């Protein structure tokens, strides 16, 4: 069986590479991809060649990290997953993925593909929330209502936080933030003139101007969690950071994807929401390269892109 992987071979140059799938190991499952996603904040800077990184970026490199598909084969010692099961896994823009049983997240029948795929980033967001432990009755500020900011709103609400304010210039994202549980949205200009001071805040914009405003709006000894990737521009400590003796923690990846999945799937089952609207653009795998380019040149704007794969992978 042939697998097709989308490789970034140079800045703004993507190529589908075909290769034979390796033999399945006894503890592994073979997944045929149904949907994937483009993570605008992390993938687009890499595609453009402008991403900031602590390590030298080497080519070719695999793209993506969010995949959902159906198991079409399994190893001899796999116990808890069966052929035909839907699973979420981390193997990126590929028509097929091979992962160990412990790395595949099973998806209940009553959970949609789009909601299931968001289990990855909601787990990443939850790890940051757990680090700063907001109190339900204390207000929280979020800068940036892209994918991470919107998921932070949703997860804070799920954790019982009552007052969530969001700074975001885009009116459509402001509306979705309110639908997901934010109490108030404001533009950066409105944020700069506001009087509310926050004990906890989440930086989700990847923009230093927003980060500087966030620091100005903190209470003394406030806690800041940086959830943005930091690959767009440097985030600088403002004078307010020292004057207010603020604390900052960074957070990346999730705390426990399997355990979070059980809780998350139960949450979205019991409390329907507008969460799927985060995917504001849908495309297909054969249009994936063109979609990256349109995003890069600004011909289209999106919060998060959902990618549909054809049943016959060879149609790529």
């Amino acid at each position: 069986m042939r697998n097709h992987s989308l490789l970034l071979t140079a800045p703004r140059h993507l190529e589908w590479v075909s290769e034979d799938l390796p033999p399945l190991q006894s503890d592994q499952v073979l997944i045929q991809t149904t949907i994937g996603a483009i993570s605008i904040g992390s993938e687009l800077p890499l595609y453009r060649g402008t991403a900031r990184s602590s390590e030298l970026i080497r080519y070719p490199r695999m793209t993506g990290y969010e995949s959902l598909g159906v198991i079409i084969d399994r190893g001899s010692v796999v116990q808890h997953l069966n052929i035909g099961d839907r699973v979420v896994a981390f193997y990126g823009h590929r028509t097929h993925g091979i992962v160990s049983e412990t790395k595949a997240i099973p998806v209940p029948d009553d959970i949609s593909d789009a909601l299931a795929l968001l289990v990855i980033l909601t787990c990443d967001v939850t790890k940051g929330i757990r680090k700063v432990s907001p109190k339900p009755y204390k207000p929280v500020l979020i800068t940036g209502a892209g994918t991470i900011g919107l998921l932070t709103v949703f997860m804070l609400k799920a954790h019982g936080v009552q007052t969530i304010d969001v700074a975001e210039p885009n009116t459509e994202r402001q509306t979705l933030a309110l639908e997901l549980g934010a109490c108030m949205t404001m533009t950066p200009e409105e944020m700069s003139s506001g009087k509310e001071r926050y004990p906890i805040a989440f930086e989700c914009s990847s923009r230093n101007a927003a980060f500087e405003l966030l620091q100005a709006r903190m209470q003394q000894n406030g806690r800041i969690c940086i959830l943005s990737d930091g690959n767009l521009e440097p985030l600088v400590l403002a004078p307010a950071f020292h004057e207010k003796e603020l604390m900052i923690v960074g957070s990346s990846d999730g705390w426990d994807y399997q355990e979070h999945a059980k809780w998350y799937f139960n949450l979205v089952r019991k409390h329907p929401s507008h969460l799927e609207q985060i995917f504001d653009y849908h495309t297909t795998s054969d249009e994936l390269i063109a979609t990256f380019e349109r995003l890069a040149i600004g011909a289209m704007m999106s919060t998060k892109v959902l990618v549909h794969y054809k049943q016959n992978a060879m149609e790529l």
Side-chain angles (χ1 to χ4, degrees):
M1 182 176 292
R2 303 288 287 177
N3 184 33
H4 297 77
S5 301
L6 185 64
L7 300 184
L8 184 64
T9 57
R12 294 181 66 171
H13 192 278
L14 290 165
E15 181 180 348
W16 284 104
V17 176
S18 177
E19 59 188 353
D20 289 328
L21 284 165
L24 202 61
Q25 300 299 309
S26 61
D27 65 338
Q28 293 179 328
V29 293
L30 173 60
I31 306 164
Q32 180 169 333
T33 309
T34 304
I35 63 168
I38 297 177
S39 179
I40 305 295
S42 60
E43 290 192 75
L44 200 54
L46 285 171
Y47 173 73
R48 287 174 173 152
T50 59
R52 300 174 64 248
S53 175
S54 59
E55 298 180 356
L56 179 66
I57 297 177
R58 301 180 185 278
Y59 304 97
R61 60 182 295 128
M62 187 58 202
T63 59
Y65 58 89
E66 302 163 280
S67 301
L68 180 147
V70 176
I71 294 176
I72 59 175
D73 198 3
R74 66 175 192 166
S76 59
V77 301
V78 173
Q79 296 181 347
H80 304 292
L81 296 174
N82 299 302
I83 293 175
D85 287 350
R86 283 187 305 153
V87 293
V88 171
F90 302 82
Y91 58 82
H93 301 304
R94 286 189 165 106
T95 56
H96 297 83
I98 294 178
V99 301
S100 67
E101 179 182 22
T102 58
K103 296 296 185 181
I105 302 170
V107 179
D109 291 339
D110 58 346
I111 302 297
S112 71
D113 285 351
L115 282 179
L117 198 60
L118 290 173
V119 70
I120 293 175
L121 291 181
T122 55
C123 187
D124 296 351
V125 164
T126 300
K127 182 180 178 182
I129 292 173
R130 290 159 67 101
K131 284 190 171 186
V132 294
S133 302
K135 304 297 182 184
Y137 53 88
K138 295 286 187 177
V140 172
L141 174 64
I142 298 172
T143 48
T147 298
I148 296 298
L150 290 168
L151 292 177
T152 303
V153 172
F154 178 77
M155 296 311 298
L156 283 169
K157 196 69 176 180
H159 282 79
V161 177
Q162 299 169 14
T163 304
I164 307 166
D165 295 341
V166 179
E168 167 59 49
N170 183 285
T171 55
E172 292 182 359
R173 291 181 177 183
Q174 286 183 353
T175 298
L176 185 51
L178 292 170
E179 292 175 344
L180 291 176
C183 292
M184 179 179 70
T185 59
M186 52 190 150
T187 65
E189 293 75 21
E190 292 168 335
M191 177 182 172
S192 64
S193 61
K195 296 182 179 180
E196 179 72 69
R197 295 296 179 263
Y198 299 87
I200 288 180
F202 293 86
E203 204 310 289
C204 303
S205 71
S206 292
R207 300 295 182 183
N208 187 59
F211 183 51
E212 184 175 355
L213 283 174
L214 179 150
Q215 294 171 75
R217 295 294 299 273
M218 297 299 294
Q219 293 179 4
Q220 192 76 17
N221 299 313
R223 302 193 301 280
I224 300 170
C225 179
I226 298 180
L227 289 177
S228 52
D229 283 345
N231 59 358
L232 290 183
E233 57 188 48
L235 300 180
V236 180
L237 298 181
F241 173 79
H242 305 281
E243 294 164 1
K244 298 181 180 183
E245 300 183 19
L246 303 177
M247 292 174 282
I248 293 181
V249 298
S251 188
S252 178
D253 299 330
W255 63 279
D256 185 318
Y257 291 103
Q258 295 287 357
E259 287 301 313
H260 171 78
K262 297 173 187 176
W263 178 86
Y264 166 75
F265 290 143
N266 190 50
L267 171 69
V268 296
R269 181 184 294 116
K270 290 184 176 180
H271 302 283
S273 70
H274 299 271
L275 199 58
E276 288 182 71
Q277 292 183 32
I278 286 178
F279 293 105
D280 56 353
Y281 187 82
H282 290 228
T283 190
T284 59
S285 54
D286 55 358
E287 287 292 321
L288 195 48
I289 293 176
T291 300
F292 267 102
E293 182 61 16
R294 288 197 294 270
L295 288 166
I297 65 176
M300 59 173 282
M301 299 292 292
S302 175
T303 299
K304 193 162 182 65
V305 176
L306 192 67
V307 183
H308 299 265
Y309 285 72
K310 297 177 180 179
Q311 291 299 312
N312 183 357
M314 297 308 295
E315 293 181 20
L316 276 171

